[in-house]
């Protein structure tokens, strides 16, 4: 039972344009969502997060949008840069029980010069 | 500040052999996690420690997997005996506070290949 799904295994975007990565979840108990970025041969690194009491969180070039009714979140990167090429994982957590992250399958983003 | 350290980085073994992975979390982090990441999938939690106590090991296949964090600092994850399906990247992560949304810091992982 895949509670967090990233349906696009890969995405290719031209440098300078907007990258949009999508994530869907099924468990309505999830109330905290995170995006992690992973380079080859490295562990995932935290990128940005959002609580379910918000519908948008912005940090520089990165913005995460949450649509609770649709159980959908997205990560926007604008403008996209070559260094953004990586695998991006969406993760979700439930407040109680603390710290257990459920990850999606990941989306490989490639930024083309 | 040193990050999460894992060793070895790569391990190739024959099936039915034992294998162990070691993790040293970020200094001062009392919460430690072991994840398994299969090819093309996201990380899946195996076990979570708060100090020395394993507070969530519901996803750990206890017939062949074991873990310990004796002094509440570094940790070892063991598989005995290994099976072909255990081939994966084993990630260790740590965070500083339980019960709050503190960022989990991941190590580089150990890539296990079982032949």
């Amino acid at each position: 039972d895949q509670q967090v799904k990233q349906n696009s295994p890969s995405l290719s975007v031209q440098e300078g344009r907007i990258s949009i990565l999508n994530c869907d979840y099924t468990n309505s108990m999830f109330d905290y969502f995170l995006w992690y970025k992973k380079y080859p041969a490295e562990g995932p690194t935290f990128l940005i997060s959002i609580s379910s009491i918000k519908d948008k969180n912005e940090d520089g070039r990165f913005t995460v949008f949450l649509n609770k009714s649709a159980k959908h979140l997205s990560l926007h990167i604008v403008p996209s840069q070559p260094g953004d090429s990586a695998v991006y994982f969406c993760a979700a957590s439930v407040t109680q029980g603390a710290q257990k992250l459920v990850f999606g399958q990941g989306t490989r983003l490639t930024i083309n010069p | 500040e040193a990050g999460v350290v894992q060793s070895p980085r790569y391990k190739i073994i024959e099936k039915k052999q034992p294998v162990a992975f070691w993790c040293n979390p970020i200094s001062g982090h009392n919460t430690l996690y072991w994840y398994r990441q299969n090819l093309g999938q996201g990380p899946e939690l195996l076990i979570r420690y708060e100090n020395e106590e394993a507070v969530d090991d519901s996803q750990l296949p206890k017939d062949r997997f074991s873990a310990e964090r004796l002094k509440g600092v570094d940790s070892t994850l063991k598989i005995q005996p290994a099976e072909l399906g255990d081939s994966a990247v084993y990630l260790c992560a740590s965070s500083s506070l339980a019960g709050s949304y503190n960022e989990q810091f991941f190590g580089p992982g150990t890539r296990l290949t079982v032949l």
Side-chain angles (χ1 to χ4, degrees):
Chain A
D1 176 29
Q2 191 76 28
Q3 298 186 67
V4 179
K5 297 182 181 180
Q6 295 176 255
N7 292 316
S8 297
S10 63
L11 177 67
S12 186
V13 174
Q14 193 169 4
E15 181 179 359
R17 306 295 289 268
I18 184 171
S19 296
I20 301 176
L21 296 94
N22 294 302
C23 178
D24 297 295
Y25 61 95
T26 57
N27 188 343
S28 58
M29 298 298 292
F30 288 143
D31 64 355
Y32 195 72
F33 305 89
L34 308 89
W35 284 93
Y36 277 80
K37 175 179 179 179
K38 185 182 184 303
Y39 292 119
E42 296 183 11
T45 56
F46 171 76
L47 189 57
I48 192 169
S49 63
I50 188 167
S51 165
S52 61
I53 62 173
K54 297 183 177 181
D55 55 16
K56 176 183 174 180
N57 188 28
E58 193 171 353
D59 183 2
R61 298 185 297 113
F62 303 91
T63 303
V64 55
F65 295 92
L66 175 62
N67 182 333
K68 289 189 292 294
S69 61
K71 294 190 177 68
H72 177 84
L73 64 155
S74 61
L75 174 68
H76 293 211
I77 306 173
V78 56
S80 300
Q81 299 175 354
D84 296 330
S85 295
V87 177
Y88 290 78
F89 291 98
C90 169
S93 179
V94 176
T95 305
Q96 285 187 313
Q99 303 281 30
K100 180 171 182 175
L101 295 180
V102 179
F103 284 84
Q105 308 96 309
T107 296
R108 181 178 300 278
L109 175 66
T110 302
I111 306 302
N112 301 307
Chain B
E1 179 182 274
V4 177
V5 178
Q6 290 188 248
S7 69
R9 292 295 310 276
Y10 305 90
K11 189 74 176 178
I12 301 174
I13 60 171
E14 300 274 337
K15 64 180 180 183
K16 300 184 181 180
Q17 294 299 306
V19 65
F21 315 121
W22 178 78
C23 171
N24 195 30
I26 292 173
S27 178
H29 283 193
N30 65 325
T31 308
L32 184 146
Y33 315 77
W34 282 103
Y35 288 86
R36 177 169 59 187
Q37 184 179 9
N38 293 314
L39 188 64
Q41 300 296 316
E44 295 179 320
L45 181 69
L46 291 174
I47 189 168
R48 174 169 67 94
Y49 282 93
E50 298 292 347
N51 299 307
E52 305 87 2
E53 183 181 1
V55 296
D56 183 356
D57 63 355
S58 57
Q59 298 296 102
L60 189 73
K62 298 181 183 64
D63 56 336
R64 298 183 299 107
F65 285 66
S66 64
E68 61 183 16
R69 194 185 183 199
L70 295 177
K71 297 182 179 179
V73 181
D74 59 339
S75 175
T76 302
L77 177 68
K78 298 178 181 178
I79 308 175
Q80 183 170 10
E83 297 179 352
L84 294 176
D86 295 331
S87 295
V89 175
Y90 291 83
L91 293 161
C92 179
S94 68
S95 64
S96 60
L97 288 173
S100 63
Y101 291 115
N102 282 290
E103 177 186 344
Q104 293 186 24
F105 294 83
F106 283 82
T110 297
R111 181 177 294 277
L112 174 66
T113 302
V114 182
L115 302 175

